[in-house]
């Protein structure tokens, strides 16, 4: 399984779990909507951090590879 598919599957499972957990918990409609909005905001922040970390790691690996092969930019 590719890393991209694994990331998508993990995020999908997380979102589904949060949604089910919020919907079965006793709460008023407005409170539930606020919880969903807060969870979505947290998830978006986490995804941005993961993507940023992945991109930085990929850039470091590419720079290391270029250095190892002697291809300096």
């Amino acid at each position: 399984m590719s890393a991209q598919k694994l990331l998508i599957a993990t995020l999908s499972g997380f979102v589904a779990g949060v949604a089910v957990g919020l919907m079965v918990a006793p709460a008023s409609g407005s409170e539930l909507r606020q919880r969903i909005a807060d969870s979505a905001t947290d998830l978006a922040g986490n995804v941005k951090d993961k993507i940023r970390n992945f991109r930085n790691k990929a850039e470091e690996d590419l720079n290391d590879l270029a250095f190892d092969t002697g291809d300096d930019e």
Side-chain angles (χ1 to χ4, degrees):
M1 182 180 274
S2 72
Q4 183 181 9
K5 287 183 180 180
L6 181 62
L7 179 63
I8 290 171
T10 302
L11 291 174
S12 298
F14 177 75
V15 169
V18 168
V20 169
L22 289 173
M23 289 183 188
V24 298
S28 66
S30 61
E31 186 178 333
L32 179 59
R33 286 188 296 274
Q34 184 61 48
R35 282 193 208 171
I36 291 171
D38 291 344
S39 294
T41 301
D42 291 344
L43 178 62
N46 289 338
V47 168
K48 286 179 185 178
D49 289 343
K50 298 274 187 208
I51 290 171
R52 187 177 304 115
N53 290 340
F54 179 78
R55 186 185 70 206
N56 290 340
K57 177 69 173 140
E59 287 175 356
E60 289 175 11
D61 290 347
L62 286 173
N63 287 336
D64 290 346
L65 182 61
F67 181 75
D68 290 344
T69 60
D71 295 336
D72 293 331
E73 294 179 30

